[in-house]
Amino acid sequence: MSDDPKAAVDRRTFLKGAAATAGAAAATVLAQAPEAAKREATAKAESGRKKDRPHPGDIVIERPGSDFMLDVIKTLDLEYVATNPGSSFRSLHESLVNYGGNVKPELLTCLHEEAAVGIAHGYAKAAGKPMGVLIHGSVGLQHAAMAIYNAWVDRVPVMIFTGSVGNAATRRSVTEWNHSVQDPALLVRDFVKWDDRPASLQHFAESTVRAYKIATTPPMEPVLIDIDLELQEEAAREEGVKIPRLTRSRPPQGERAALAEAARWLVGAESPVIIADRCVRNQDGVKLMVELAEALQAPVVDLGGRMNFPMTHPLSHNEARRALVREADVVLLLEVADPWGQFNSLSDPHKDHRVLGKKDVRIVNLSMQDVYIRSNYQDHQRYQAVDLAINGDAQASLPALIEEVKRATTAERRSAFVARGARLADAQAKERRRAREEAAHGWDLSPITTARLAAETWNAIKGEPWSLAVSDRIPWARRLWPAAEYHHMLGGSGAQGVGYAAPAALGVALANKPKGLFTVTFQPDGDLMYSPGILWTAAYHKIPVLFVMHNNRAYHQEIMHVQRMAALHKRRVDRAWVGNVIDNPAIDYAKLAQAQGVWAEGPIDDPGKLGAALKRAVSVVKGGAPALLDVVCQGR
Ligand SMILES: Cc1ncc(C[n+]2csc(CCOP(=O)(O)OP(=O)(O)O)c2C)c(N)n1
Ligand SMILES: [Mg+2]
């Protein structure tokens, strides 16, 4: 409160004034009074309210529509609903906490809608099931849009609920009008798989169950249900209303004859290559990938959209991608987001086009790409002609493909495979040595190299059942860490929309917590500042996650872009930092975290101090809390 006596008098006068209702006064007092006085103030406000408005105050809706909605939501396998609160779903919010007891689903308090969706995105990949997200009207959905797009491009299911006031005749002035939309989902319809706006409780039940089914049917994608305010708040009219049972679709296997043909090509090939991207969704899928690769003794290039193949395996050849494709006679693409990019390159900034593969290379594309394509957003990438396009879910098709490979393999081919396998194992061992040698370059530099950051972090967590929440930001982790299981690396944003990494790490950690996994993430500075409030959410919900900052005090990637332009225009390259650095003042990320209740240390720019600090941070996370280590690093 202000110390100014005049201000105090003015405030008292205001509170006594006719304009101040009992409810408003109680709200003011409640905000300031100690605990004991609060109960009294509440009681007074209650009696005042009754006196002022005897008729409407007497109306009690014992079973609002939102209770029924929650009954529907509870039939789905949703552990959490991430939300930034909003009056357009206040009734469902209240049902969740009182009627539903805030369990399954439990509300996650998020400080920005983009963070809420980002959390759900990371969670779905780690948990193997969607999370709910509750978004307020037009404004909340506008905030959420980029994160929904990331999830769309990453083929990840998210159950989005928005609240809105559909009936103009009962819409209150000003805000309810400003936050209302004729067609809420229009804003994101290009990048959700399905949406609906139920007009009744029966409609809500069917559409919500349908939405869950659609979201979790590969290709998995976000879905949206808009919930009308009156349908939530009015008494539930449930005569004859039924909640339909959730049926889950089995993912479609590619056509058997086509898989058999692909198998014959692969078996007959001298230099086959398997390229996998968003291919598997769990450890069963990783095992199938190993079985396929071993059956053929073929190299696997994992593009990293998912953790498809153990990097410790002698057939793992991620770094040799270009060389392998150049030599290949058959290439198998497994849910690869950019098939064209595997056989072509376009230089930047001169756009020189190079074809990488042999002229007669045979390409098999096993994907659901033609099913989820949309017109407006161009995430489908450039058109690539292939020799065999198989429409099917990659993981679901692997068992049949493996069977066909084994069937087609003769004794003669088997011995050729053994020789190829030995060559590949040798090449892989060399690459691993090379990676370690290269990582040692600039070992003692300050700011710290990203290679040392990855190596020191590995040293600190290697005894834990680890999981790297966002695995596409520091390439060194993919080169140096012995990732072998699905949960070891959870991929990236999908659409490269910055602001994904921090919330997604939280979502991954939430899914990992009951599994006893230790979640770590390399957190870029620019990315964190899109939704720094995720740190508070981590502290509030006690989510154990280790944020190791890759703090290069810049939008470093953008510096490189502007440098390229300056070189192209023959102008000053040294001014590329303007508009791209996040420095002077440098942001104190340790303080940012501490201010929100998160254990933190830093900034650390002495590489000699990194190991010990990491140890301290690891023990905090093992204790069940989030921790952040601010490490000042080289650009890349
Ligand atoms: C929403 C969004 N805005 C802007 C960009 C453009 N962009 C690409 S990389 C990048 C820099 C990100 O900085 P940081 O997260 O610190 O990573 P760094 O490049 O420094 O490693 C930006 C701004 C983007 N991809 N997404
Ligand atoms: Mg940065």
Side-chain angles (χ1 to χ4, degrees):
M1 274 183 88
S2 167
D3 291 328
D4 176 1
K6 189 170 178 294
V9 170
D10 285 346
R11 188 169 182 76
R12 273 198 298 278
T13 316
F14 167 71
L15 287 173
K16 276 190 210 147
T21 63
T28 313
V29 173
L30 277 173
Q32 297 153 3
E35 259 329 293
K38 281 187 185 175
R39 271 191 300 278
E40 200 187 331
T42 310
K44 266 191 196 158
E46 283 301 316
S47 68
R49 223 179 263 138
K50 280 200 180 121
K51 252 182 265 156
D52 288 347
R53 297 183 285 113
H55 302 299
D58 287 344
I59 298 171
V60 173
I61 296 177
E62 287 178 1
R63 169 82 174 158
S66 55
D67 279 7
F68 172 81
M69 291 171 182
L70 187 58
D71 288 341
V72 175
I73 290 169
K74 276 182 178 283
T75 68
L76 310 172
D77 191 11
L78 293 175
E79 307 278 344
Y80 298 101
V81 173
T83 190
N84 184 250
S87 55
S88 59
F89 55 80
R90 61 190 183 178
S91 188
L92 182 57
H93 188 150
E94 192 273 335
S95 291
L96 273 155
V97 294
N98 282 325
Y99 175 62
N102 199 27
V103 285
K104 209 167 183 239
E106 176 188 345
L107 281 174
L108 291 176
T109 311
C110 301
L111 309 193
H112 196 294
E113 289 82 355
E114 188 173 294
V117 178
I119 289 172
H121 182 170
Y123 174 89
K125 279 190 282 185
K129 61 183 182 181
M131 182 189 279
V133 180
L134 200 43
I135 292 174
H136 173 62
S138 59
V139 286
L141 196 55
Q142 285 162 5
H143 263 180
M146 186 215 69
I148 299 172
Y149 183 57
N150 270 338
W152 165 267
V153 177
D154 203 18
R155 318 300 167 212
V156 167
V158 183
M159 278 291 287
I160 302 162
F161 297 97
T162 51
S164 67
V165 191
N167 185 355
T170 56
R171 226 179 255 161
R172 293 177 304 145
S173 320
V174 172
T175 313
E176 278 191 356
W177 276 89
N178 288 342
H179 293 184
S180 288
V181 227
Q182 230 189 63
D183 180 4
L186 180 66
L187 185 67
V188 296
R189 188 161 288 135
D190 276 323
F191 42 91
V192 296
K193 198 171 175 186
W194 187 69
D195 69 87
D196 202 12
R197 194 177 200 194
S200 67
L201 293 181
Q202 182 63 48
H203 189 172
F204 175 86
E206 287 175 26
S207 290
T208 302
V209 174
R210 185 199 296 272
Y212 190 98
K213 174 176 183 272
I214 289 177
T216 53
T217 297
M220 299 188 196
E221 297 287 13
V223 290
L224 186 149
I225 297 292
D226 182 64
I227 321 176
D228 182 63
L229 180 113
E230 282 178 358
L231 202 60
Q232 295 174 59
E233 295 186 6
E234 283 173 3
R237 269 178 267 147
E238 290 177 81
E239 309 78 43
V241 171
K242 283 202 178 79
I243 304 173
R245 187 164 50 89
L246 171 69
T247 46
R248 292 173 189 268
S249 308
R250 299 214 183 175
Q253 181 194 299
E255 196 227 0
R256 185 76 189 212
L259 291 171
E261 193 172 355
R264 284 194 296 276
W265 292 5
L266 286 161
V267 168
E270 284 313 310
S271 305
V273 182
I274 300 168
I275 305 182
D277 197 357
R278 296 195 180 92
C279 171
V280 311
R281 48 183 160 268
N282 49 38
Q283 189 59 21
D284 291 344
V286 177
K287 284 185 189 147
L288 288 168
M289 284 293 294
V290 171
E291 207 181 328
L292 176 67
E294 288 181 352
L296 288 161
Q297 288 299 312
V300 176
V301 173
D302 186 345
L303 297 176
R306 302 288 186 271
M307 165 67 218
N308 296 294
F309 195 73
M311 290 167 204
T312 48
H313 196 286
L315 294 170
S316 166
H317 288 266
N318 300 343
E319 294 302 311
R321 174 168 75 109
R322 291 306 200 198
L324 286 168
V325 168
R326 237 177 259 128
E327 295 305 314
D329 47 1
V330 176
V331 177
L332 171 65
L333 304 175
L334 297 172
E335 202 54 55
V336 169
D338 179 16
W340 188 86
Q342 308 313 313
F343 303 95
N344 300 271
S345 73
L346 207 52
S347 75
D348 186 25
H350 297 291
K351 321 283 185 215
D352 288 335
H353 176 216
R354 280 211 183 138
V355 179
L356 296 168
K358 284 183 173 169
K359 259 206 173 110
D360 56 354
V361 61
R362 283 190 292 180
I363 305 170
V364 181
N365 191 18
L366 173 52
S367 168
M368 298 286 282
Q369 222 161 23
D370 296 344
V371 175
Y372 53 69
I373 195 165
R374 294 282 169 88
S375 306
N376 196 24
Y377 284 78
Q378 303 271 307
D379 59 307
H380 42 69
Q381 311 291 323
R382 198 156 168 183
Y383 179 78
Q384 172 65 48
V386 302
D387 301 279
L388 188 53
I390 309 175
N391 189 54
D393 177 72
Q395 179 166 333
S397 304
L398 283 175
L401 182 60
I402 293 164
E403 218 176 277
E404 294 296 347
V405 163
K406 288 181 177 166
R407 196 197 307 271
T409 304
T410 58
E412 190 196 334
R413 290 312 296 152
R414 202 168 291 120
S415 63
F417 292 175
V418 172
R420 182 163 68 211
R423 278 199 308 277
L424 287 164
D426 194 39
Q428 207 246 23
K430 277 195 191 121
E431 156 53 28
R432 290 194 80 77
R433 271 199 301 279
R434 191 169 42 242
R436 276 196 296 273
E437 280 161 22
E438 284 177 23
H441 293 168
W443 190 250
D444 293 319
L445 281 180
S446 173
I448 296 166
T449 66
T450 51
R452 181 148 186 190
L453 183 73
E456 294 273 5
T457 304
W458 170 247
N459 200 41
I461 63 152
K462 65 185 178 201
E464 311 303 327
W466 61 279
S467 173
L468 180 61
V470 179
S471 49
D472 69 341
R473 296 307 298 262
I474 302 249
W476 281 111
R478 276 173 49 80
R479 279 188 83 184
L480 298 174
W481 293 17
E485 300 195 35
Y486 175 81
H487 66 256
H488 278 157
M489 295 201 173
L490 275 305
S493 61
Q496 294 79 44
V498 179
Y500 162 84
L506 225 60
V508 169
L510 201 60
N512 280 343
K513 192 176 164 178
K515 299 179 193 165
L517 298 176
F518 182 99
T519 308
V520 61
T521 198
F522 293 111
Q523 180 55 55
D525 52 339
D527 181 280
L528 179 61
M529 293 311 287
Y530 283 73
S531 293
I534 61 101
L535 293 167
W536 179 85
T537 300
Y540 180 70
H541 289 286
K542 300 184 177 55
I543 303 171
V545 49
L546 172 55
F547 290 97
V548 181
M549 295 280 308
H550 169 220
N551 177 10
N552 51 24
R553 294 187 173 153
Y555 296 117
H556 190 267
Q557 222 178 108
E558 299 306 318
I559 291 183
M560 297 192 294
H561 278 297
V562 179
Q563 282 173 339
R564 228 169 283 151
M565 290 302 102
L568 182 69
H569 306 152
K570 289 229 173 336
R571 289 199 286 249
R572 289 183 56 180
V573 174
D574 64 335
R575 292 193 38 83
W577 60 268
V578 178
N580 281 326
V581 293
I582 314 174
D583 204 353
N584 302 314
I587 297 171
D588 188 332
Y589 294 99
K591 278 192 185 147
L592 179 76
Q594 287 156 359
Q596 297 177 76
V598 173
W599 181 100
E601 278 188 23
I604 297 165
D605 51 10
D606 176 352
K609 293 187 174 156
L610 182 55
L614 275 160
K615 256 196 191 144
R616 290 190 290 275
V618 165
S619 74
V620 171
V621 176
K622 281 176 78 175
L628 180 144
L629 216 56
D630 179 14
V631 189
V632 185
C633 292
Q634 301 279 334
R636 284 266 110 186

